[in-house]
Amino acid sequence: MFRLAPRLLSRATAARTGGPAPAAVRSMADAPAAVAVDTDFEETWKKMIPNLEPPKTPLSFMQARPPTPSSIPSKLTVNFVLPYKSELTATEVDMVIIPATTGQMGVLPGHVATIAELKPGILSVHDGNDVSKYFVSSGFAFVHANSVADVVAVEAVPVEHIDPDLVQKGLAEFQQKLNSASTDLAKAEAQIGIDVHSALNSALTA
């Protein structure tokens, strides 16, 4: 019975767009300007399986997209969150520089909507003459067309809280582990440790 759900969803989406359902998941930039109800899917479901309530579709969980301003605002709104706390919430700044896997990425108000994967490195938040720097281990940055940037990191710490002695000690330990590693798994784990501690070391000397 539930195996019919993907076909119903595909059929309902095709009816709305005039073509097959898109394979990619919608980004926040593609979210509707108002909360949408997938009425086509619900009607098709009720015709096929009238005894069961239709399941929730992705549209049910997508919040309304904030309106894109007609002019570029003077400030960038930043949300910076970790699994256990929020570092910045709707904070207006001039710019953030993100350590993306493709390189350092500066984000200003009016930046094109994009998604970037984070690598170990420095996330810097600029507001006037004030600059706050965080070391992030990994994560993603979501830049929206309405000059809002959401940064989600697995782990982050202010640069001034990093102990240089512990960084050097950890780097030496992982280099020793890499030299003595006898399996591919042990080599990979040691290399990850070296990469992270090297990035920490670079953050302290930047």
Side-chain angles (χ1 to χ4, degrees):
M1 184 180 296
F2 288 102
R3 284 179 293 181
L4 293 172
R7 278 187 287 171
L8 294 177
L9 179 58
S10 176
R11 194 179 305 166
T13 306
R16 288 197 308 275
T17 61
V25 177
R26 293 186 179 188
S27 68
M28 180 60 75
D30 296 326
V35 177
V37 178
D38 199 344
T39 54
D40 291 337
F41 173 77
E42 290 183 355
E43 290 174 2
T44 305
W45 178 279
K46 289 177 181 177
K47 290 179 182 178
M48 300 291 292
I49 315 174
N51 297 328
L52 289 177
E53 287 296 318
K56 297 291 186 180
T57 66
L59 284 179
S60 304
F61 300 96
M62 294 181 73
Q63 296 181 351
R65 170 173 48 84
T68 301
S70 57
S71 60
I72 297 176
S74 60
K75 292 286 187 177
L76 176 73
T77 302
V78 178
N79 300 301
F80 178 28
V81 296
L82 307 174
Y84 47 87
K85 68 174 180 177
S86 177
E87 286 286 350
L88 301 174
T89 303
T91 303
E92 293 188 341
V93 301
D94 294 326
M95 175 181 67
V96 294
I97 299 179
I98 297 167
T101 54
T102 54
Q104 295 294 103
M105 183 174 74
V107 180
L108 294 165
H111 195 285
V112 64
T114 188
I115 298 175
E117 183 180 0
L118 306 182
K119 67 178 181 180
I122 293 296
L123 170 75
S124 57
V125 182
H126 300 252
D127 189 24
N129 294 325
D130 297 330
V131 180
S132 301
K133 294 184 177 182
Y134 302 85
F135 180 83
V136 297
S137 61
S138 59
F140 287 90
F142 304 87
V143 182
H144 310 295
N146 59 342
S147 295
V148 175
D150 297 324
V151 181
V152 183
V154 175
E155 192 67 62
V157 62
V159 170
E160 60 268 21
H161 293 175
I162 300 174
D163 188 330
D165 294 334
L166 291 178
V167 172
Q168 292 297 329
K169 180 181 178 181
L171 182 58
E173 288 177 352
F174 279 106
Q175 286 175 336
Q176 184 178 2
K177 288 181 179 179
L178 180 62
N179 294 333
S180 60
S182 58
T183 65
D184 290 341
L185 177 60
K187 290 179 181 179
E189 291 176 343
Q191 187 61 56
I192 291 172
I194 290 174
D195 292 344
V196 172
H197 282 78
S198 296
L200 280 166
N201 193 48
S202 299
L204 293 172
T205 57

